[in-house]
Amino acid sequence: MNPMTQEVTAARRRPRSRRRPRVSQPPPPQQPVPPREPPESPPATAREVAATPERPRRRRRGRRRPVTEARPPEAEPALPGVRFAHPSEAEFARILDFYGLQWQYEPRTFPLRWEHGQVTEAFTPDFYLPDLNLYLEVTTLRSGLASDKNRKIRLVQELYPEVNIKLLKKRDLLRLLTKYGYGPLAPEEVPDVDRILISTPRLQQRVAELGSQISRDYAGKEPVLVGILRGVLCFMADLIRHITLPVTMDLMAVSTYEGDAAGSVKILKDLDENLKGRDVLLVEDIVDTGMTLHHVLDYLWSKKPASLKVCTLLDKRARRLIEVDIAYTGFEIPDEFVVGYGLDFRQRYRNLPFIAVLKHELLP
Ligand code: IMP
Ligand code: MG
């Protein structure tokens, strides 16, 4: 099964977060803005335009990613597959997927010219990127077509000044994604990475939300955040900056099973703070089987805190062996090995600013 099909299947089975409907909804209502020089006839509506023969209508939507922010589930309709008019569009979609950016394929048509109440010319950009509120027209190198597209894009900008639209080549797209924080690395520069699962902007937004939620829940208290080294480094550093209460922090390191481990989890670096009577928030990068967390929680309870809760950036729930109570979850992710934003594969890739899926063939 190819990875795309696999992901769509996973997405359909998963509960939908409140933010995600943005992916499948058409962009904001389309009110054609009157041209500066009034047309001979009033502008047609987008629906009338859709019936014009200028270009075959394909209202397809970008696939959804299986990552969900930990929010209440809603019903989810099945999605149709996407048929691209041109191979370069399919490649663009793969790049957008690689960078974890949501997209819709040809969701809107812009009327450009009217005669006797009929639309005589219209333009349908290839992609809409809801995260960036940006329409993209993909171009290959053939200059004749590019100049016609350029003319149409200029017209769209003139007639619909509120619309953000760009004509792009592949190279320009990679540069644009870097600018918006969906990089910074081109796919070929991260050879072990299959695709980006959670982009930098999504990580940052979610970490900020968790920080606000924790600040509200612990109002009037002075919690101590306990992080487990080393994977938690990036998450914890960002999270504490979104907590608007007096907080203290401490760090622990524990051994993980490496194939030959005799006995159980060992504490490699102990706490420096006294947790007795404190409100403790244990911060984790990822909860997988739950074994590490289970062991660490036992240890922390033995320190007699007033309260003890868990905050994890990632939850690989499908692999859980020991049930643990998690108060705050950043993202539920599928059963994939992920790296970046503190998480490693053989100590590498902790410095990636996003969460990426490691290529399957690298895993034992
Ligand atoms: P657990 O004890 O199975 O829940 O494992 C938790 C620990 O395993 C995490 O704190 C990570 O250090 C590591 N881990 C689990 N899954 C991943 C992954 O996908 N990427 C990197 N490290 C992981
Ligand atoms: Mg860890």
Side-chain angles (χ1 to χ4, degrees):
M1 194 191 267
N2 84 29
M4 261 180 126
T5 332
Q6 207 173 347
E7 248 187 28
V8 173
T9 317
R12 282 180 191 165
R13 280 200 210 105
R14 259 164 198 280
R16 182 163 68 169
S17 79
R18 255 182 223 146
R19 265 186 74 230
R20 286 174 62 222
R22 289 196 313 168
V23 189
S24 60
Q25 274 167 1
Q30 325 174 3
Q31 286 305 322
V33 172
R36 297 219 174 98
E37 286 183 9
E40 287 176 45
S41 326
T45 65
R47 193 172 302 146
E48 282 168 302
V49 174
T52 62
E54 203 240 11
R55 205 169 167 172
R57 289 293 68 234
R58 288 158 303 194
R59 274 186 68 93
R60 311 278 190 204
R61 287 154 182 173
R63 70 200 181 83
R64 268 181 271 202
R65 290 164 294 156
V67 183
T68 62
E69 272 129 77
R71 307 237 175 132
E74 294 162 28
E76 177 167 35
L79 285 171
V82 178
R83 289 251 281 292
F84 294 103
H86 194 275
S88 65
E89 297 170 356
E91 195 196 355
F92 254 60
R94 278 196 300 274
I95 295 172
L96 295 170
D97 283 343
F98 181 88
Y99 282 105
L101 199 58
Q102 304 178 350
W103 53 267
Q104 298 164 356
Y105 185 59
E106 298 190 334
R108 179 173 172 183
T109 293
F110 296 91
L112 298 180
R113 243 185 254 285
W114 300 263
E115 261 169 45
H116 314 296
Q118 289 292 328
V119 172
T120 54
E121 188 176 25
F123 182 62
T124 307
D126 297 316
F127 291 96
Y128 177 66
L129 277 41
D131 290 333
L132 310 182
N133 186 21
L134 175 67
Y135 288 90
L136 288 183
E137 179 64 15
V138 172
T139 179
T140 48
L141 289 170
R142 280 177 294 145
S143 52
L145 277 179
S147 67
D148 188 48
K149 281 180 176 177
N150 263 318
R151 179 186 65 80
K152 289 186 174 180
I153 284 170
R154 273 199 305 276
L155 260 175
V156 171
Q157 285 164 338
E158 232 169 75
L159 299 174
Y160 308 88
E162 79 285 4
V163 165
N164 192 10
I165 182 166
K166 285 193 164 73
L167 178 69
L168 282 188
K169 298 191 186 104
K170 178 186 165 187
R171 195 192 55 223
D172 301 328
L173 175 69
L174 290 173
R175 212 171 280 160
L176 184 85
L177 295 183
T178 301
K179 182 185 137 202
Y180 282 111
Y182 286 81
L185 302 160
E188 55 274 25
E189 289 166 354
V190 198
D192 294 347
V193 159
D194 180 49
R195 67 188 188 282
I196 292 177
L197 191 64
I198 309 170
S199 66
T200 310
R202 284 191 77 199
L203 275 173
Q204 270 156 15
Q205 191 195 335
R206 187 68 187 131
V207 173
E209 285 169 5
L210 289 173
S212 318
Q213 200 184 335
I214 291 165
S215 305
R216 281 196 302 276
D217 295 353
Y218 284 86
K221 296 178 178 162
E222 184 173 338
V224 50
L225 271 58
V226 174
I228 302 179
L229 289 171
R230 286 171 248 178
V232 83
L233 209 75
C234 296
F235 175 44
M236 182 114 156
D238 284 345
L239 182 69
I240 53 169
R241 280 177 281 185
H242 289 286
I243 296 180
T244 52
L245 303 168
V247 288
T248 50
M249 63 182 274
D250 204 345
L251 293 161
M252 287 176 71
V254 296
S255 63
T256 48
Y257 178 76
E258 273 161 3
D260 56 349
S264 61
V265 183
K266 288 192 189 62
I267 290 160
L268 303 177
K269 186 218 162 288
D270 206 346
L271 298 161
D272 294 316
E273 298 279 314
N274 180 0
L275 300 187
K276 187 155 189 238
R278 301 289 307 271
D279 292 299
V280 177
L281 184 60
L282 178 63
V283 185
E284 258 283 35
D285 50 355
I286 183 166
V287 182
D288 185 14
T289 61
M291 310 246 240
T292 308
L293 191 57
H294 178 78
H295 190 90
V296 173
L297 283 173
D298 267 1
Y299 178 73
L300 294 179
W301 277 122
S302 76
K303 303 288 173 187
K304 310 246 179 309
S307 71
L308 176 56
K309 285 190 192 175
V310 177
C311 172
T312 185
L313 176 69
L314 305 175
D315 183 358
K316 242 192 264 183
R317 189 170 288 277
R319 284 184 32 107
R320 194 78 86 254
L321 296 178
I322 301 185
E323 257 331 300
V324 275
D325 204 9
I326 301 176
Y328 306 95
T329 303
F331 302 88
E332 271 182 39
I333 63 165
D335 181 10
E336 301 266 21
F337 195 87
V338 291
V339 292
Y341 197 61
L343 290 123
D344 73 304
F345 173 62
R346 298 185 177 149
Q347 298 308 325
R348 295 182 69 203
Y349 301 118
R350 292 193 197 274
N351 57 325
L352 296 177
F354 38 71
I355 301 281
V357 174
L358 198 74
K359 283 192 177 145
H360 289 198
E361 57 266 32
L362 292 171
L363 291 171

